[in-house]
Amino acid sequence: MKQHESDPEPPPPGGILWDIAGEVRSLLALPAALTLQVAHPAVGAGVDEHSVFRTDPWGRGERSLRSVMLWVYGGDAAAQEGRRLRQLHRTIRGTDTRGRSYHALTPAYYAWVHATGFPVYRQAQRYLGRRPFTEAQERRLYAEWLQVGRILGLRDRDMPQTVEEFWPYYRKVLADEIELTTVVRELVAVDVPVPPPDRGPLPVRLALRALWPVLLPPLARFRRFLTIGLMPPDAREAIGLPWTPVQERRLRRFGAVVRRVTPLLPERLRYLPMARRARTAEAARAR
């Protein structure tokens, strides 16, 4: 039973988000979405001043990923997670780099954080999916993303309600707001210290700690490559992030490998645990 009768419904089983949000290749696009979010001065300032992403990057990433999984696969727990996030953000306020007061739940800022997922999913599909989304699939994906927005507490008036309305809104934010913020610089840097992972079995953590000085530089370069490459080109240009034809060819080759390998994986390796459990339960109900 729902916690509240008026709770918004999560995206439907069998929808596009059920197919892609919990799949391992979607993890590759998350850094691009996060970076596009914090390219907004107000969002970037909030993360710069209030987030623990510098001191606890692995914990922060784990909590963010769990949230995304709950929005899509959490059933009744989806709306509960939306309420938890709104409560968490109630005290986040300050002044951005343009001297404007911000609050994390200001609809324009909160909506932008959510809105970035749609163009990044669309961009990632071009490289990592079997084929780009059709026009009908884009419309369905956007409708499902609006459902997620309602779970997060966004009202319909806070977000464009159709794909046709979304793109002018998106381009206006790129033109008027987006910039190379301090947090963006850190997220695409290859020389920012990052502690080794502190999750998993103790032997693995100890091995990673010993090897971390050797592993971190190539991992940082790979993260930068994917973060910039899987960001929509117009957003990349608005922020001022460089991208070369050589990098584009490398990304296309990488995407071709991902497209071939991912469908061959068994469900237990292809989907994250929460997504796999939800998909298995739904398949059992459908039988």
Side-chain angles (χ1 to χ4, degrees), residues 202-250:
L202 181 60
V204 174
R205 282 185 280 141
L206 292 175
L208 285 172
R209 190 180 303 167
L211 295 171
W212 199 239
V214 176
L215 294 175
L216 179 57
L219 287 175
R221 290 193 294 270
F222 182 63
R223 179 191 63 189
R224 175 185 170 89
F225 171 70
L226 285 183
T227 298
I228 300 177
L230 293 180
M231 187 177 293
D234 49 1
R236 185 194 303 150
E237 183 179 350
I239 298 172
L241 296 172
W243 189 248
T244 68
V246 171
Q247 290 172 311
E248 178 68 19
R249 289 193 293 273
R250 288 175 181 166

Side-chain angles (χ1 to χ4, degrees), residues 3 6 47 61 79 89 124 127 130 144 160 167 172 181 185 189 192 196 282:
Q3 297 289 326
S6 60
V47 171
H89 287 81
Y127 292 91
R130 189 179 352 174
E144 292 179 16
W167 292 116
K172 180 172 174 56
T181 64
R185 289 191 182 94
V192 172
E282 182 59 31

Side-chain angles (χ1 to χ4, degrees), residues 13-25 27 69 73 261-284 287:
I16 292 179
L17 282 175
W18 263 62
D19 281 342
I20 66 175
E23 199 185 51
V24 291
R25 59 182 143 184
L27 296 176
M69 295 299 98
Y73 305 102
V261 171
T262 305
L264 301 177
L265 297 174
E267 186 98 351
R268 61 186 176 82
L269 296 178
R270 184 176 173 183
Y271 284 92
L272 299 174
M274 189 183 301
R276 187 175 67 248
R277 289 192 297 268
R279 289 167 59 85
T280 300
E282 182 59 31
R287 284 200 294 267

Side-chain angles (χ1 to χ4, degrees), residues 25 253 255-264:
R25 59 182 143 184
R253 289 196 296 269
V257 173
V258 172
R259 286 196 302 274
R260 292 189 183 99
V261 171
T262 305
L264 301 177

Side-chain angles (χ1 to χ4, degrees), residues 133-153:
F133 290 129
T134 64
E135 183 177 319
Q137 287 172 325
E138 283 192 16
R139 291 178 184 279
R140 187 175 180 187
L141 174 61
Y142 189 73
E144 292 179 16
W145 202 235
L146 286 177
Q147 286 181 257
V148 173
R150 295 181 188 111
I151 287 169
L152 296 177

Side-chain angles (χ1 to χ4, degrees), residues 80-97:
Q80 183 179 347
E81 175 65 5
R83 289 191 291 272
R84 185 192 72 83
L85 288 173
R86 291 195 298 278
Q87 184 64 35
L88 182 68
H89 287 81
R90 288 190 190 282
T91 59
I92 297 177
R93 62 180 71 241
T95 304
D96 70 14
T97 55

